[in-house]
Each structure stands twice: as structure tokens, then as C-alpha cells.
Amino acid sequence: MYKKTEHQLTFVDDFFLPFGGKLNKENRWVRLAELIPWWKAEEKYAKSFKKKFKGEKAYSVRIALGALYIKERLGLSDRETVEQITENPYLQYFIGLPEFQEKAPFDHSLMTRFRKRLGANIINELNEWIVSEEQKRQLEEENNNDDDPHDDTDDDDHGSDDHQTSDPASEEKSTESVSPRTQNKGKLILDATCAPADIAYPTDLGLLNEAREKLEHIIDVLHEPHKGKLRKPRTYKKRARKDYLSVAKQRKAGARKIRKAVGKQLGYVKRDLEIIKNLVSQSSLSLLSKDEYRQLLVIHELYRQQAEMYKKKTHRVDHRIVSISQPHVRPIVRGKEKANVEFGSKVAISVVDGYALIEHLDWENYNEGTTLKESVENYYNRFGFYPEAILADKIYRNRNNLAYCKSLGIRLSGPRLGRPSRTEDKTLERVARQDASERNAVEGKFGEGKRKYGLGLIRARLQETSETVVALQFLILNLERKLRVLFLKFLHNTILYFDNRNLACI
């Protein structure tokens, strides 16, 4: 049973501290609690519960989302997150508690439930709402500044200069057909990255050895009811372990030795699978736990893939499994200098005015250039107009995307297709340099998310919870940016106040 509570107003002065005093209104957790639209998330969160008035009352969305935010923002484990909340009154206010309590508000095991119930969709919708509201606020401020007569005179004075500086872009746009539906505004920055999962670096030999060990455990479970009645099938586990270690312990084993060891492990895995098939006729698979049964299904597919690659002498196969515990993880070839291949989900994002939004997330590798049209349409649905320019990598600049952008009057950054001209226009070079410098904002977002927060290593183990954690990373990035913007406004107003005061004294 879930009861909505987030439409009620809460004030920081109402938070009761048994040891006296009041919370600081300028504390970052107090400011964050004001920035997050809890009621908006509650509308979606309440739908995951059955409409019944019986049963224990569920934890509010503020406790669920607030606890997950604290965990990812501070880089804590589930257990440590609950400990920090228990010890810190500001964190207790952030998750919506009315007063400080020394008892833990919930058990750490519920953090997984929170990740499942919220899901990536709810967090992405909340993130989009925050960015849309911020964009509307900026447009209102621009309109208010346009209505100011002093601003109009300033614009008139500098109008000729602005027109001259915008000539290069306007000359390039003149060759494109501008869409009559709406006026294009703003710039859309696109890029993609990999959010690595927390798995050991996979090798064919290591995966087959792990599969063999798990199959041997399953054989023990299935044979347990027949212990003393039937003879246990031989699995040659000691010999298989010895064959594996003879190659795995070598500092640099040759390709032939590795291939020979993989062939042996394939034979052991095949034998174990046949033993399990015979045991099923005598024992029920219901003896296995849910995790053991899932592992058996994953190992069946893993053996098929490894046998196919071994036969064809290749290292490529569709939907390749690189982790038995996380079979949804796929290898993502990125071509980076330090890590040519990463293992996790591939995330395509867009950045508008410093705010990042997830455009597409998939565990299979894909060409991010195919997401441009979807990203542009999402931009239109959010703000009501198309972007003036798209700043993206060369992979986005294909013929289909160029034709699509031309039909909407959007300038797509990057060099022209075909042979470069000998007499390159200096204005186009200047525009290209300006686009490259502005496109660095998306790289900064990736760096901030991976170095400062948890985007560089997703520690969740399930597919749905991993996607929730990825979505949380971008929610954190945007809310932290809003905090910085508020601080800069406060600093700006403070400086203006003292400047005006000094002028008045003079």
C-alpha cells in the first residue's frame, strides 16, 4: 500500500533536532531537497504499487529516490549509505524525515528494491522535466531582458557588430532550406560513451573454467537425493583444474597453448552438460535454486558461442556473453588508446546549455550516428523548436543525417563530405574551431561523471538496476550544475549589492 505525501509542503525550520538548534538553510542537502520535484517522481512511483488499502505502508518516493541519490553522489555502498543517513541530520531531512532519529530509517537490503521500483524511465522523465523547466526559466529571463528599454538600446548599439560576427554561420545556412514550421534556437551537442560494468576482464579460457566449476556444483545438487543409491558420474574436476592452471598461471602464454587449453575446457563443459541432461531424467530441476537454474541456461548459450568461435577460429559472435553472473553485459569496441574494448552499456546523450540527457541506452554495440534523428525530435518535443546547430563527432555526419538536417534548416558541424577544397574559407575554419571548442562540454560531462561520480564503474549487477544507476548519474550531473548556477547568481547579486552601496557612499 502506498500513500502519497509529496504534495504537502515541508520547511527546513520544521525539522526537529532533539539536541537543539536548527538546520542551516544554505546547506547543499537542504538546497538539493528544494530543487528536486519529489511530487513529479511520486506520480510515476505510485503506479508501481497495487491499489489496495491493506498491508504495510510502503516507503515514500522521497526516501527511495533520496537514498539512491545519496549513495551515488557520495559513492557509498548500500550498507554504508544507511549508516551515513542514520548519523547525519541533513541527510535525514533530505529523504523527508520529520525529525532526527538515531534508528536506521530502513534496512540496507531495500536499496535494491528502490532501484527496481524507480527504474531508469522514471528517473529519465524526472531529469527531462528538470531540464525543460530550466530552459523555460531561461527563455522567460531572455524575454524579460528584451522588454527592458535599456537592453534594447544596448542591442541596437551593438547590433551591427553581432550581425558581422554571425555572417559565416549565416552564409553556410543560406545554402540550406529552412523549415517554415518554427524558428530554430539553441545548440544541441551529441556524443556517446560506455558505462563499464563491474566485472572481471573476460577471457575465453577463464569463462569456460568458471562455467565448468558452476556445472560441477549443479551436478552435486542434482545427485544429492541419489547419494548412496546411484554412483556419482565422474567429472574429472581435478584434471580439468590442473589443465586450466597450467596455462592461466603462465605470464605470457602463446596462442597455440591458449587454443589447446580452450579446447580441453570445452570438452569438460560438454561432458558436464551431458551428465546434467542424464541426471534430469532421474532428478527434477526444481532442486536447483533460481540463480543456479539461470546459470545453467546462461552456460548453455555460453558453450554454444565458445564452440562456434573455436570451430571457426574467430573471436567474434553475435550477442557475446562475457560474464556468467551478468549475461546482459556486452563488449563495446570504442577504439580508445587505453582501453580498446570496454564491457558495459553504451549511452548516447545530448547536452543543452550544460544539462545532459540520455537519448539512447543499449547493451548491444550500435552506431551512435543512427540516434541523431531521434535526438533532434526529442529536442523539439521538449522545447517546442528545433536546434539552430548540432555539434557532434564525424560519425554523425553521414549523408542521411546531412539531408535530414538540411530539410530542417539545422547546421551540422564538421567538415564537408568528399575531397577537401584547396582554398578553404577562413570563415569556415573559424566556425569549425568554435564548434570544436563548444563540443568539449560533452567530454567534460563524461569526465565529471566518470571521475567524480559513479559513471566510470556501474556496481549494480542486474540489467534493470544498472540502467537505473546510469540514469541517476546524469540526474546528479544536472542537479549539481543547478547548484553551481544558484551559487553564481548569489555571488553576482552580492557583488552588485556592494558595488551599488559603494556608489551611494561616493
Side-chain angles (χ1 to χ4, degrees):
M1 180 182 70
Y2 185 82
K3 183 179 180 180
K4 293 185 177 181
T5 59
E6 295 308 321
H7 285 281
Q8 302 175 5
L9 294 176
T10 58
F11 300 97
V12 63
D13 292 335
D14 297 337
F15 188 82
F16 177 71
L17 295 172
F19 39 79
K22 293 183 179 180
L23 297 180
N24 182 7
K25 295 182 180 180
E26 299 301 323
N27 183 273
R28 56 173 177 167
W29 295 107
V30 176
R31 303 297 297 271
L32 278 173
E34 298 173 354
L35 292 177
I36 298 177
W38 305 104
W39 59 270
K40 193 72 176 179
E42 190 175 46
E43 294 177 356
K44 305 291 183 180
Y45 184 71
K47 295 180 181 179
S48 61
F49 296 88
K50 296 181 180 179
K51 295 182 179 180
K52 292 183 179 180
F53 297 97
K54 297 181 180 180
E56 188 177 356
K57 182 181 176 181
Y59 289 100
S60 67
V61 67
R62 184 160 177 175
I63 291 179
L65 180 57
L68 293 178
Y69 188 96
I70 292 170
K71 176 189 182 303
E72 300 301 331
R73 173 62 181 84
L74 301 180
L76 308 173
S77 63
D78 291 348
R79 191 184 299 271
E80 182 62 24
T81 299
V82 178
E83 293 292 335
Q84 291 288 342
I85 293 174
T86 307
E87 299 167 358
N88 194 326
Y90 285 101
L91 297 183
Q92 291 190 13
Y93 171 79
F94 180 72
I95 65 174
L97 297 183
E99 60 181 8
F100 179 78
Q101 61 183 42
E102 296 181 356
K103 183 181 177 181
F106 56 87
D107 190 74
H108 67 89
S109 61
L110 289 175
M111 294 288 286
T112 302
R113 296 281 186 91
F114 295 159
R115 283 188 284 266
K116 288 182 178 180
R117 285 176 179 170
L118 279 168
N121 292 333
I122 295 179
I123 297 176
N124 286 332
E125 290 180 9
L126 181 65
N127 205 8
E128 289 194 8
W129 188 87
I130 292 174
V131 176
S132 299
E133 289 298 313
E134 182 66 19
Q135 187 72 14
K136 290 179 182 178
R137 187 191 62 79
Q138 292 180 4
L139 290 176
E140 290 178 358
E141 289 184 356
E142 291 178 0
N143 294 333
N144 293 335
N145 293 333
D146 292 340
D147 295 337
D148 191 348
H150 296 289
D151 292 341
D152 291 340
T153 56
D154 293 340
D155 293 341
D156 293 338
D157 293 338
H158 300 284
S160 58
D161 295 337
D162 294 341
H163 180 72
Q164 290 177 1
T165 55
S166 61
D167 279 345
S170 60
E171 289 178 3
E172 189 174 351
K173 289 181 186 177
S174 62
T175 60
E176 302 173 349
S177 60
V178 179
S179 174
R181 285 179 288 181
T182 183
Q183 182 181 3
N184 297 354
K185 298 179 182 179
K187 292 184 178 181
L188 178 65
I189 308 176
L190 301 177
D191 205 350
T193 190
C194 178
D198 187 17
I199 63 172
Y201 191 87
T203 61
D204 296 338
L205 184 60
L207 286 171
L208 289 171
N209 177 70
E210 183 183 358
R212 176 188 58 79
E213 292 176 347
K214 293 184 181 298
L215 289 176
E216 290 169 356
H217 172 72
I218 292 174
I219 291 173
D220 294 339
V221 173
L222 294 177
H223 181 71
E224 185 66 25
H226 309 286
K227 202 171 185 179
K229 301 177 183 179
L230 298 177
R231 184 179 178 183
K232 182 182 177 181
R234 297 187 63 180
T235 57
Y236 299 97
K237 61 171 63 176
K238 291 185 178 180
R239 184 187 299 177
R241 177 69 175 172
K242 185 178 180 180
D243 292 339
Y244 165 72
L245 292 177
S246 63
V247 177
K249 285 188 173 182
Q250 293 186 19
R251 188 172 183 179
K252 191 174 182 181
R256 290 186 179 181
K257 288 185 178 180
I258 294 176
R259 176 173 172 80
K260 184 177 179 180
V262 168
K264 288 183 178 181
Q265 294 299 320
L266 279 171
Y268 293 128
V269 171
K270 181 180 180 181
R271 181 186 181 89
D272 291 344
L273 289 174
E274 291 176 352
I275 292 174
I276 292 174
K277 184 178 180 181
N278 295 332
L279 286 174
V280 168
S281 60
Q282 302 170 357
S283 303
S284 174
L285 286 175
S286 60
L287 296 173
L288 302 177
S289 65
K290 184 178 179 181
D291 289 339
E292 290 170 345
Y293 181 69
R294 185 181 62 87
Q295 289 173 2
L296 180 60
L297 297 179
V298 172
I299 291 172
H300 266 286
E301 177 61 18
L302 174 67
Y303 171 76
R304 185 196 66 80
Q305 293 181 358
Q306 292 292 333
E308 179 181 343
M309 290 189 293
Y310 183 81
K311 183 179 179 180
K312 295 181 179 180
K313 297 183 179 180
T314 182
H315 294 284
R316 294 180 60 88
V317 68
D318 293 337
H319 313 295
R320 184 175 181 179
I321 296 175
V322 294
S323 174
I324 297 176
S325 61
Q326 301 184 49
H328 56 276
V329 176
R330 296 288 181 267
I332 306 296
V333 180
R334 299 292 295 156
K336 302 295 183 180
E337 182 179 358
K338 293 184 179 180
N340 185 40
V341 181
E342 294 178 300
F343 304 94
S345 60
K346 189 172 183 179
V347 189
I349 73 166
S350 63
V351 176
V352 180
D353 293 333
Y355 295 93
L357 292 170
I358 296 178
E359 299 294 345
H360 186 71
L361 186 149
D362 203 334
W363 294 91
E364 299 288 345
N365 202 357
Y366 60 90
N367 186 334
E368 54 263 37
T370 58
T371 64
L372 183 138
K373 296 181 181 179
E374 179 184 0
S375 302
V376 173
E377 294 301 327
N378 290 338
Y379 184 96
Y380 179 81
N381 294 332
R382 293 177 189 129
F383 309 123
F385 46 81
Y386 288 103
E388 178 184 358
I390 298 177
L391 311 182
D393 203 357
K394 292 182 180 179
I395 195 171
Y396 290 87
R397 196 174 173 83
N398 55 50
R399 297 189 183 278
N400 292 333
N401 289 342
L402 285 171
Y404 173 76
C405 292
K406 184 177 181 180
S407 65
L408 296 175
I410 302 173
R411 179 174 63 84
L412 182 57
S413 66
R416 297 176 179 176
L417 297 180
R419 183 179 299 176
S421 175
R422 292 183 179 179
T423 59
E424 192 70 25
D425 193 354
K426 292 184 178 180
T427 56
L428 295 179
E429 291 182 1
R430 183 173 59 82
V431 171
R433 287 195 302 269
Q434 180 67 20
D435 290 343
S437 63
E438 294 181 8
R439 203 182 73 83
N440 287 335
V442 70
E443 300 295 343
K445 286 295 177 183
F446 291 149
E448 182 183 359
K450 291 187 176 183
R451 291 177 178 270
K452 191 174 182 181
Y453 307 121
L455 189 61
L457 187 64
I458 305 301
R459 299 183 183 275
R461 300 183 67 83
L462 302 178
Q463 179 176 353
E464 56 181 328
T465 55
S466 298
E467 293 174 359
T468 302
V469 172
V470 173
L472 277 168
Q473 304 302 321
F474 290 96
L475 178 64
I476 292 172
L477 287 172
N478 291 336
L479 288 176
E480 291 296 321
R481 173 172 171 76
K482 289 200 72 172
L483 277 180
R484 292 194 295 267
V485 171
L486 289 175
F487 174 75
L488 290 176
K489 285 185 177 180
F490 170 77
L491 185 63
H492 177 70
N493 293 334
T494 303
I495 294 174
L496 289 179
Y497 171 77
F498 282 105
D499 287 345
N500 294 333
R501 190 174 178 179
N502 292 335
L503 290 175
C505 294
I506 295 175

